[in-house]
Amino acid sequence: MKLMEPLRINSTTIHCRVLVPAMVTRLSGEDGYVNQAIRDRYVRYAMGEVGLLVVEAMAIHGNKSGPLLRISEDRFIPGLRDMVREVHEASDTKIVPQIIHFLKISRRGWRQKVEDLSREEIKLIVEQFGNAAYRARQAEFDGVELHMAHAYTMSSFLSMRNKRKDEYGGKTLEDRMRAMGEVITRVRQAVGDDFAVGVRFDAEEGIKKGYTLNDSREFALRMAQLGADYISLSAGGKFEDAIIRPGHIVYPYTGYSGDKCMPGDYYPDGTNLYLAEGIKRYLVERGYQTPLVCAGKISHAEHAEEILQKGWADIIGMARANLADADWAKKVREGREKEIIRCIYCNVCKNLDETHNEVICYLWPKGTLHAPLWKPGGNPVWPTDGKLTAAVTPSEIKLSWEEASHADGVCGYDLFRREGDGQYEWFTATTRTNYRDQLAIAGRAYKYYVQAYTEAGMRSTPTEVVEATIPFPDYATASA
Ligand SMILES: Cc1cc2nc3c(=O)[nH]c(=O)nc-3n(C[C@H](O)[C@H](O)[C@H](O)COP(=O)(O)O)c2cc1C
């Protein structure tokens, strides 16, 4: 399958098209150094054999923040280099850091905007990107990714909300791209021609009076023209529509644009794919083959393969899916897709990021800081046959089943659902022994079965199938 085919990115080659996009872990201290927990997190992804691992956003400057990695001074290089070495020793996974500049923000609600920056300060930011990218090369990363997405400085220059009155913003598209152009050019000068430089940016802002595909395809084209080695698409994640909580630093993923960035379980799979499709077509029509990364609720290999086959993207970004199961890529490559522990997009990880707590996955065994190490082991077993039952109310279907057992413990339960004469589909996973199907529609016949799984993803036998239908409401009687 194309998903498992290699792809050359400048002087490096990724062995497959699975990319873990940057995900802040909140595992670092405020000192910004790589520590053991950070190393363990990234080595674990490498053991799962992803193609390209993008290390969480790290600051190119000294502005205050919560726990965040830094690449703002040479003293951070040795720690970063050790992490890179360990990742390279673990597998063929390639690794790049995402480098970020962000503006100042206070608990009292004030935040610095690009409009407040002097020309000298913009020059300094351009310089800081160049220096940080050079440090990435010194730390032996396989490339560097420039963070131009979400609520941060570079994205704010691109934004339609950029109200600068000089050549760095205001009304024209060209001016909004100027800082981006200077940064990419400076970074290229700093790292040389043979070092992979990727750019991540929002394909749509997802805010009122924010830019859409009309502008973002021009941004992508300019990035390609400036020699970006890959372009990674995100969406939203803006301050403008974030929920303000007095006394708290505003978190730019709490409004609708936050949903666009990290779509929850109630969004369709591949939420933002129309953006990748539009940008890819625009680039190809203009003769640019720059590899494009898409992301946003993609977690099934079949879906990922379809995206590649249709030519909407060249690399599949899967953040939370790989957080849930760090062996996602390895399991697909080895034909063990049935053993994947599937992300349920509950966004517990996002909430932990917001509150500056260590980012873990709700589906991991309780008390663990990283995805469990895969180990061979048998399948969980039911005490009897799983004893799956379904109770119907006028509003929902309540399912419950037995607790399964396994020597290493049972990690969770997959619920499969079939509607009418359709196919059984994976519906969700839970760590409990009951589930309320609140998406069931009255008058439709549903069938369910459950499988228990271990932390290695070994499945029990399916329970017996249960059937349930919510009676169609008698609206006339109810309103009489
Ligand atoms: C906990 C968490 C932290 C994130 N941190 C970053 C980050 O540092 N940089 C970034 O560009 N995106 C970040 N993202 C967004 C992801 O890279 C990704 O675009 C998003 O989760 C949608 O992809 P998914 O549906 O595969 O998870 C973060 C997402 C989560 C859940």
Side-chain angles (χ1 to χ4, degrees):
M1 65 198 310
K2 199 163 181 191
L3 187 61
M4 291 295 134
E5 283 174 13
L7 182 72
R8 197 170 171 81
I9 300 178
N10 197 322
S11 57
T12 196
T13 299
I14 58 171
H15 73 90
C16 72
R17 315 293 183 95
V18 181
L19 175 146
V20 178
M23 252 184 300
V24 165
T25 60
R26 304 289 181 199
L27 292 171
S28 69
E30 305 240 348
D31 62 7
Y33 284 105
V34 171
N35 57 23
Q36 188 62 45
I38 296 269
R39 276 196 298 275
D40 290 348
R41 175 66 55 97
Y42 290 103
V43 167
R44 182 66 193 87
Y45 287 124
M47 290 166 77
E49 299 177 9
V50 303
L52 186 59
L53 183 50
V54 184
V55 179
E56 63 197 88
M58 54 185 79
I60 61 170
H61 59 329
N63 274 11
K64 232 178 138 241
S65 78
L68 194 74
L69 286 178
R70 304 228 173 225
I71 189 166
S72 47
E73 292 174 49
D74 288 353
R75 64 192 165 96
F76 295 109
I77 296 173
L80 292 166
R81 192 186 286 127
D82 287 346
M83 172 175 67
V84 171
R85 209 167 280 154
E86 281 191 42
V87 162
H88 283 158
E89 279 165 15
S91 78
D92 201 15
T93 293
K94 298 296 191 293
I95 178 170
V96 301
Q98 184 183 60
I99 61 173
I100 184 174
H101 188 280
F102 49 87
L103 296 172
K104 292 177 189 153
I105 187 161
S106 85
R107 278 181 203 282
R108 270 178 281 147
W110 171 84
R111 71 181 169 85
Q112 191 184 20
K113 303 202 172 115
V114 285
E115 289 86 331
D116 304 325
L117 295 172
S118 66
R119 282 207 179 78
E120 287 63 42
E121 284 170 317
I122 297 176
K123 275 202 173 63
L124 179 63
I125 293 169
V126 172
E127 226 21 62
Q128 284 167 331
F129 264 104
N131 293 342
Y134 183 64
R135 284 186 202 106
R137 184 160 191 158
Q138 287 180 306
E140 294 166 28
F141 279 102
D142 298 294
V144 64
E145 181 177 290
L146 315 179
H147 197 341
M148 300 201 178
H150 310 159
Y152 312 111
T153 314
M154 295 311 298
S155 180
S156 305
F157 277 111
L158 295 173
S159 175
M160 257 175 63
R161 297 282 193 102
N162 171 356
K163 298 282 182 258
R164 282 186 72 93
K165 302 231 170 343
D166 62 1
E167 70 274 26
Y168 287 100
K171 292 206 164 43
T172 81
L173 204 49
E174 196 53 56
D175 286 347
R176 281 160 48 208
M177 289 197 285
R178 196 168 310 281
M180 172 261 277
E182 290 183 11
V183 165
I184 295 176
T185 306
R186 176 72 193 95
V187 164
R188 181 57 75 199
Q189 282 168 354
V191 298
D193 287 340
D194 60 346
F195 192 65
V197 177
V199 185
R200 187 166 216 217
F201 84 109
D202 276 356
E204 184 172 275
E205 290 190 90
I207 49 172
K208 194 167 163 56
K209 290 272 158 86
Y211 71 72
T212 66
L213 185 59
N214 288 356
D215 290 0
S216 61
R217 55 192 193 175
E218 293 300 345
F219 300 158
L221 180 60
R222 182 61 55 88
M223 289 167 189
Q225 288 168 333
L226 291 173
D229 293 303
Y230 72 84
I231 297 172
S232 177
L233 302 180
S234 187
K238 308 297 286 185
F239 280 128
E240 283 81 355
D241 68 340
I243 293 168
I244 309 285
R245 290 194 298 135
H248 291 265
I249 296 280
V250 59
Y251 182 68
Y253 305 95
T254 42
Y256 170 71
S257 73
D259 277 13
K260 286 289 286 177
C261 184
M262 303 165 194
D265 53 5
Y266 49 96
Y267 276 83
D269 283 357
T271 307
N272 296 321
L273 277 175
Y274 64 100
L275 297 165
E277 187 192 357
I279 287 179
K280 185 71 191 170
R281 189 178 327 118
Y282 201 68
L283 293 180
V284 170
E285 280 169 3
R286 281 151 189 80
Y288 287 91
Q289 303 297 334
T290 312
L292 193 69
V293 185
C294 60
K297 269 202 92 183
I298 304 163
S299 65
H300 291 266
E302 209 178 302
H303 187 204
E305 181 65 14
E306 187 193 345
I307 295 164
L308 296 176
Q309 291 294 347
K310 286 187 167 153
W312 294 350
D314 307 278
I315 302 172
I316 308 294
M318 279 181 265
R320 291 165 293 173
N322 274 292
L323 186 70
D325 192 338
D327 290 321
W328 193 99
K330 186 174 160 72
K331 286 177 179 174
V332 170
R333 192 174 54 74
E334 293 175 356
R336 297 190 289 127
E337 219 199 310
K338 286 205 164 122
E339 292 173 26
I340 288 173
I341 295 167
R342 299 211 170 273
C343 175
I344 54 172
Y345 298 100
C346 61
N347 269 336
V348 164
C349 52
K350 169 183 163 177
N351 297 338
L352 292 167
D353 174 35
E354 175 177 4
T355 50
H356 291 190
N357 284 300
E358 292 160 338
V359 172
I360 55 161
C361 175
Y362 158 78
L363 295 175
W364 294 348
K366 297 280 161 284
T368 51
L369 192 56
H370 302 291
L373 285 180
W374 190 87
K375 55 179 173 204
N379 306 80
V381 289
W382 301 109
T384 55
D385 61 358
K387 284 210 165 95
L388 176 62
T389 59
V392 175
T393 78
S395 317
E396 62 184 1
I397 298 171
K398 293 179 178 170
L399 300 153
S400 56
W401 53 90
E402 287 181 308
E403 192 174 335
S405 64
H406 185 275
D408 300 329
V410 167
C411 202
Y413 300 87
D414 277 329
L415 181 64
F416 294 82
R417 188 177 89 163
R418 170 181 150 164
E419 197 182 310
D421 296 330
Q423 302 274 333
Y424 277 103
E425 282 178 10
W426 178 85
F427 187 57
T428 191
T430 175
T431 56
R432 294 139 63 123
T433 55
N434 53 66
Y435 186 81
R436 297 160 75 143
D437 182 358
Q438 298 179 329
L439 299 179
I441 302 289
R444 293 194 197 158
Y446 293 99
K447 288 185 177 172
Y448 303 89
Y449 69 85
V450 172
Q451 278 183 290
Y453 62 81
T454 64
E455 58 187 43
M458 303 304 288
R459 262 55 180 195
S460 70
T461 53
T463 60
E464 298 279 311
V465 167
V466 291
E467 293 186 45
T469 303
I470 301 174
F472 200 80
D474 182 357
Y475 296 118
T477 312
S479 63

